Amino acid sequence: MKGYRSFRIGKDKVSLLLDQNALLKLGILVIITCIIFIVSVGLGDLRIHPFTVVNLFFGGGSELEQLVVFQFRLPRIIASVLVGMALAVAGGILQGMIRNSLAAPDTIGITAGAGMAVVAFLWLFSDDNYSLIVSIKWLPVAAFLGASLVASAVYFLSWKDGVTPVRLILIGIGISALMQAGTTTFMVLGPIYMASQANIWITGSVNSITWEDVNVLLPVTVILLILAFLSARNVNVQSLGEDIATNVGSAVQRHHFLLLMISTGLVGISVSFAGGIGFVGLMAPHIARKLVGSSYGALLPVAAFIGANLVLVADLIGRTLFLPSIVPAGVFTATLGAPYFIYLLMKSKR
């Protein structure tokens, strides 16, 4: 096939068909991400030249520059990349699995479910001194459980001789509103400090990310992303519809469950540390589809880097353009995402 190259390993036990055009575009996106990463590290109250930033990674620079970069900027920037990738890939999986171009963690309530679970966790396990009585490492577990329960509820409530796009979106909006009401309730019941912090967190922000957070976020996100990329073939089959997927020998229900767990895991780990950064899971897969087509083997990796760039740029604008104030990254993703969602609704024929 023109434009494709086969790749075989293990005495032809594993074979891949690589789209050269998609690989080229993915490589360009990787380079763009690296450039934005370096620029983002250098901008802030203390401006550092990009060449100096690169030199810092090899042990150069002054002690002040090393302190600012490695202790304050790098954790939030790494988190921005991971969160953007996770949300974008989760959105891509949901759109393929449900066969609904409007499906995303935000629009069907998964993000809101993870958010309520996190706020409930903070309320339940805080002592009188407002300190957690359990390890912060349990926070992603709470977010994952909240996201999983909401995703399952939306999917099963939407089922009526199949899942129709309008039914799923409407039920997702209703469940999302219910979760947001629950979040507000826990904020009211909790201490005043938690309400103010939770409001910033719900909007979506990486301001308070530390290396301890990155140490949890990085391995979990990387593992889930690898599982997502390995499951791309299943997403391709699921996107054809249940009847065709069954006829070609796919274990539809088992794959539905596995894909749902991967996407909710990605949403849960993102929300637990960065809050509800909205619309990344909606926009990134759509942009990727325009670039490389609808094959999820190419779409998911491309969407991952597009999502990383969206969150990186949103965080960069939020912490540099309005100094000395810092605006949460979720404000800017929502500013772009909400009109884009309306555009998709208006463009839809049904």
Side-chain angles (χ1 to χ4, degrees):
M1 295 174 66
K2 188 176 180 180
Y4 289 83
R5 176 174 295 179
S6 61
F7 181 74
R8 302 175 185 274
I9 56 176
K11 296 182 179 179
D12 294 344
K13 291 182 179 180
V14 178
S15 63
L16 299 172
L17 191 63
L18 302 179
D19 184 342
Q20 293 179 335
N21 181 52
L23 280 175
L24 174 62
K25 291 178 179 178
L26 179 61
I28 293 172
L29 277 171
V30 171
I31 294 171
I32 292 172
T33 304
C34 292
I35 292 172
I36 297 174
F37 188 98
I38 292 171
V39 171
S40 184
V41 170
L43 292 180
D45 289 327
L46 174 64
R47 298 206 170 196
I48 305 172
H49 194 276
F51 291 122
T52 306
V53 171
V54 175
N55 189 35
L56 282 168
F57 293 146
F58 294 95
S62 66
E63 291 185 6
L64 177 60
E65 290 171 336
Q66 289 181 356
L67 176 66
V68 170
V69 168
F70 290 107
Q71 294 302 318
F72 300 114
R73 292 183 186 171
L74 265 186
R76 67 183 296 160
I77 293 171
I78 293 173
S80 297
V81 172
L82 294 172
V83 167
M85 286 183 165
L87 293 174
V89 171
I93 290 174
L94 289 172
Q95 289 176 12
M97 185 182 73
I98 301 172
R99 292 185 298 135
N100 184 352
S101 60
L102 298 178
D106 328 293
T107 57
I108 65 173
I110 297 178
T111 300
M116 193 193 79
V118 169
V119 174
F121 177 89
L122 295 174
W123 173 67
L124 286 171
F125 297 106
S126 292
D127 58 20
D128 294 336
N129 297 320
Y130 309 140
S131 299
L132 283 177
I133 59 176
V134 297
S135 173
I136 191 68
K137 293 182 180 180
W138 287 104
L139 193 62
V141 177
F144 173 75
L145 291 175
S148 300
L149 290 173
V150 169
S152 301
V154 170
Y155 186 80
F156 288 116
L157 289 173
S158 303
W159 184 271
K160 189 177 182 180
D161 298 326
V163 177
T164 62
V166 173
R167 186 178 177 86
L168 184 136
I169 291 296
L170 291 176
I171 288 177
I173 290 171
I175 295 290
S176 180
L178 181 63
M179 295 299 103
Q180 289 169 3
T183 300
T184 303
T185 301
F186 285 118
M187 287 167 58
V188 171
L189 294 175
I192 296 297
Y193 92 98
M194 193 179 85
S196 60
Q197 291 297 316
N199 272 322
I200 297 174
W201 175 84
I202 289 170
T203 305
S205 174
V206 291
N207 291 345
S208 58
I209 294 289
T210 64
W211 281 115
E212 183 181 359
D213 299 326
V214 172
N215 289 337
V216 178
L217 181 64
L218 179 61
V220 176
T221 304
V222 169
I223 291 171
L224 289 172
L225 287 174
I226 291 172
L227 291 175
F229 296 151
L230 292 176
S231 302
R233 290 184 178 181
N234 293 331
V235 184
N236 282 329
V237 175
Q238 298 293 323
S239 66
L240 299 174
E242 290 196 12
D243 292 338
I244 296 178
T246 302
N247 290 335
V248 299
S250 173
V252 175
Q253 297 305 320
R254 185 177 68 188
H255 290 158
H256 265 169
F257 177 78
L258 291 175
L259 291 172
L260 192 64
M261 289 300 100
I262 292 172
S263 59
T264 52
L266 288 167
V267 175
I269 190 67
S270 301
V271 172
S272 60
F273 289 108
I277 297 179
F279 293 101
V280 175
L282 177 71
M283 293 188 292
H286 273 278
I287 298 171
R289 199 171 285 112
K290 296 287 186 182
L291 290 175
V292 297
S294 57
S295 174
Y296 284 86
L299 188 149
L300 291 182
V302 169
F305 281 96
I306 292 172
N309 289 330
L310 286 173
V311 179
L312 266 176
V313 171
D315 178 59
L316 177 60
I317 293 172
R319 65 183 176 84
T320 58
L321 200 61
F322 301 94
L323 287 173
S325 299
I326 296 177
V327 180
V331 171
F332 299 101
T333 58
T335 301
L336 290 174
Y340 191 71
F341 181 65
I342 294 171
Y343 163 74
L344 292 175
L345 283 173
M346 294 176 64
K347 187 179 177 182
S348 175
K349 295 180 180 179
R350 294 183 292 177

